[in-house]
Amino acid sequence: MAHAFALDQRLAADSTPVIELPLCSVRLSADRTYPWLILVPRRAECVELIDLDPGDRALLIEEIVMASRVLKELTDAEKLNVAALGNSVPQLHVHVIARFSDDPAWPGPIWGKGPALPWDSLEHADFTARLERALADG
């Protein structure tokens, strides 16, 4: 019996929904230190890229490119970090992170670099709305 897709509770707790693309749920990290999107393919029991069928893998790449372009345009990021690590959360998900030479972790990775800074509710709502509009427009 096939299992239904369910978002890992850690991803749900650490991010908020932005938009549903054809394959992925796009979420915004709860840490405003780094503008950071998380794309989660809505496929049950996917842990690795190799768990997706070839069509879904191709679609995932296109959705990563779109999310990357949107995040770069909205933030004027100097660099984008794109990664599918999944060591703490095994559910397949891809991080798209806007980086700046003056961010607290530059030039290293962002993982474990201090406590997450929560979003101001108005700033969060505005940024989420701008992300949603830009991603909906493709």
Side-chain angles (χ1 to χ4, degrees):
M1 181 173 155
H3 295 279
F5 171 79
L7 182 65
D8 184 282
Q9 289 304 305
R10 289 165 289 191
L11 292 175
D14 292 341
S15 62
T16 56
V18 175
I19 193 171
E20 298 295 313
L21 297 176
L23 176 65
C24 292
S25 294
V26 179
R27 304 183 62 85
L28 177 61
S29 171
D31 184 357
R32 73 170 175 80
T33 307
Y34 312 95
W36 177 356
L37 297 177
I38 302 163
L39 283 71
V40 186
R42 291 184 309 281
R43 298 294 183 261
E45 300 181 8
C46 279
V47 175
E48 307 293 348
L49 287 171
I50 58 175
D51 296 334
L52 293 172
D53 68 39
D56 281 348
R57 278 196 305 271
L59 185 53
L60 176 59
I61 293 299
E62 293 307 313
E63 290 183 0
I64 291 168
V65 167
M66 182 173 57
S68 297
R69 186 178 301 114
V70 164
L71 190 61
K72 187 170 180 82
E73 288 172 2
L74 292 182
T75 65
D76 292 323
E78 296 172 44
K79 178 74 176 103
L80 294 172
N81 291 169
V82 177
L85 303 172
N87 294 335
S88 297
V89 176
Q91 181 174 51
L92 178 59
H93 61 287
V94 178
H95 302 273
V96 180
I97 307 161
R99 297 296 307 274
F100 305 89
S101 58
D102 62 351
D103 75 39
W106 186 269
I110 65 168
W111 319 115
K113 298 295 182 188
L117 296 177
W119 285 90
D120 168 80
S121 61
L122 291 177
E123 181 183 28
H124 181 270
D126 175 65
F127 191 56
T128 300
R130 291 188 302 131
L131 285 166
E132 182 181 16
R133 278 192 305 273
L135 289 166
D137 289 344

